[in-house]
Amino acid sequence: MELYVKAGPDGESIGDCPFAHFVRAVLAAKDLSCQVIPCTRDNKPDWLVNDHEGRMPCLRNGEDIVTESAAIVCYLEEKFPETKVECDMDQSVLLLLQGFFPAFANFMKKVEHDPKLEKRLAEEIGKLERHLETSGGPFLCKKTPTLADLSLAPKLYHLKITLEHFYPKLSKSMLPPLVTSYIEQILSTDVISLYSYPPEYVIAGWTADRK
């Protein structure tokens, strides 16, 4: 299998895409070997550009080609069912937390601090805190990470790094205790930490997006 992902600033290392991070975490959790191929805008394979609009992450397994992280993970779960990552609660948790990343991205992309966008992000973080109060934890659905954790963790990695860099005064006040503990725990798991990219890649990526 081959996984085509966004390249880092040097054009050769693996970049800061949280959706590719999610796919790599699932591959690791399922103990599947896969060659990861970082791509820039200029060196994507012709078939990826012409047939799939250059979308990444993109998984190629023989004749099977799948783009978009959610679709890739669904394919992996169906194609390799020996180790299941998804549990029966994952989809409801993903639905509950689906507003987090858009709220985070909207807040972080704006150079000037926007109280309304901060409030919106705080509301989404509050949903996570309230869920953790009743999840039976320490993870979102069970006592071990499942699909929802592996989806959310890369996004929380971006949140943690960018808050500390761009909004150091908010980095503690915006993160309630259970969320803070959860971030530390999920980011330290091997399937997330071993496939994380350098914080400076995350900072560089969001710096380029801020307007």
Side-chain angles (χ1 to χ4, degrees):
M1 283 192 294
E2 300 170 341
L3 181 67
Y4 295 80
V5 302
K6 172 187 174 182
D10 60 3
E12 297 180 357
S13 58
I14 295 171
D16 67 325
C17 175
F19 303 102
H21 195 176
F22 169 36
V23 173
R24 296 184 73 208
V26 171
L27 285 164
K30 295 176 77 67
D31 197 24
L32 297 173
S33 60
C34 183
Q35 181 184 6
V36 181
I37 304 173
C39 297
T40 67
R41 291 181 180 180
D42 300 325
N43 67 1
K44 292 179 183 180
D46 289 340
W47 60 264
L48 180 57
V49 174
N50 297 333
D51 299 337
H52 302 280
E53 300 178 348
R55 293 192 298 269
M56 297 188 297
C58 175
L59 183 79
R60 183 164 72 168
N61 182 33
E63 296 183 355
D64 295 337
I65 298 175
V66 189
T67 61
E68 309 296 342
S69 60
I72 293 171
V73 168
C74 182
Y75 169 84
L76 293 172
E77 285 283 84
E78 293 178 356
K79 188 76 172 179
F80 306 98
E82 296 81 8
T83 301
K84 298 293 288 184
V85 177
E86 184 174 355
C87 75
D88 54 2
M89 293 175 57
D90 276 315
Q91 291 304 319
S92 63
V93 175
L94 288 170
L95 182 63
L96 173 70
L97 302 176
Q98 66 180 347
F100 166 72
F101 193 72
F104 162 65
N106 289 337
F107 174 70
M108 198 53 63
K109 284 181 178 180
K110 196 162 184 178
V111 173
E112 295 182 2
H113 175 258
D114 188 321
K116 291 183 179 179
L117 295 179
E118 179 191 337
K119 181 181 178 182
R120 179 59 182 154
L121 175 56
E123 290 171 351
E124 294 299 325
I125 294 172
K127 291 180 183 179
L128 175 57
E129 178 77 2
R130 290 189 293 275
H131 175 75
L132 290 169
E133 290 174 353
T134 59
S135 68
F139 298 103
L140 294 177
C141 299
K142 295 187 174 183
K143 296 189 182 299
T144 57
T146 58
L147 189 70
D149 297 286
L150 303 188
S151 173
L152 184 61
K155 301 164 188 174
L156 292 175
Y157 182 61
H158 280 242
L159 174 72
K160 181 177 185 294
I161 291 169
T162 54
L163 278 181
E164 290 173 353
H165 180 77
F166 295 110
Y167 296 102
K169 293 182 179 179
L170 288 177
S171 62
K172 292 185 178 180
S173 62
M174 284 196 74
L175 301 178
L178 292 179
V179 170
T180 298
S181 177
Y182 173 71
I183 289 175
E184 293 176 357
Q185 187 148 7
I186 190 61
L187 295 188
S188 68
T189 58
D190 285 349
V191 292
I192 297 299
S193 64
L194 293 178
Y195 303 97
S196 297
Y197 23 82
E200 53 266 32
Y201 285 16
V202 177
I203 294 168
W206 286 101
T207 298
D209 286 340
R210 285 163 66 82
K211 300 176 181 178

